[in-house]
Amino acid sequence: MEDRQELHPKVEKSFELIGKKWTGLIIYVLMSGPKRFSELSEAIPALSRRLLTERVKELEEHGIVIREVIADRPIRSEYSLTQKGIELGNILGPISKWAESWVHD
C-alpha cells in the first residue's frame, strides 16, 4: 500500500498534464514526425496560436517536446517529441483507436 501512496502524486501530475485541453492532440500530431509551428497550427485549426505557444512551451518544460532552431533563411523552428514524448504518444495512440470506435460527432 505504501508504494501506491508514493505513486499517486506522479500519476496525478501526469493526468493533469495530459488532461489539459489540446495537449494530447499536439502530442498525437507530433507522433507523425517533426513539425514547424505553422504546420502544428494548420493541423489543429481550432487551437489559437497563443494557446498553441503556451502548450508547446509547457511540453518543452516537461521534456516531452524539443524545439530545434533551423538556421536557414529565414530562421525557423521545428518541434519534435523527445523519447519521453514518444513513449507518451505510444500510450495515447490507443485512445485514437478507441475514439474511432466509440466517439461520435
Side-chain angles (χ1 to χ4, degrees):
M1 192 67 140
E2 224 173 284
D3 290 338
R4 295 178 102 187
Q5 289 176 348
E6 289 177 25
L7 182 65
H8 180 73
K10 290 180 181 181
V11 172
E12 184 177 347
K13 187 174 181 178
S14 299
F15 276 104
E16 184 179 309
L17 175 65
I18 62 173
K20 287 188 175 182
K21 190 166 184 173
W22 306 111
T23 300
L25 197 51
I26 293 167
I27 294 167
Y28 179 79
V29 169
L30 288 173
M31 284 296 289
S32 64
K35 301 279 184 283
R36 293 188 315 268
F37 186 87
S38 61
E39 292 173 316
L40 281 172
S41 185
E42 287 172 17
I44 314 170
L47 174 57
S48 73
R49 294 176 74 81
R50 181 195 60 78
L51 192 52
L52 176 58
T53 299
E54 185 180 311
R55 290 291 183 264
V56 169
K57 283 183 182 180
E58 188 172 29
L59 290 169
E60 281 183 272
E61 290 170 7
H62 287 281
I64 294 169
V65 168
I66 189 164
R67 176 178 172 250
E68 181 183 354
V69 176
I70 300 168
D72 285 343
R73 297 253 182 220
I75 293 176
R76 58 189 170 98
S77 296
E78 208 170 63
Y79 297 90
S80 58
L81 295 174
T82 62
Q83 185 60 41
K84 183 178 178 181
I86 291 168
E87 289 183 28
L88 179 56
N90 289 336
I91 293 166
L92 295 176
I95 294 173
S96 67
K97 289 180 183 165
W98 175 85
E100 289 296 323
S101 298
W102 294 99
V103 177
H104 304 288
D105 294 335

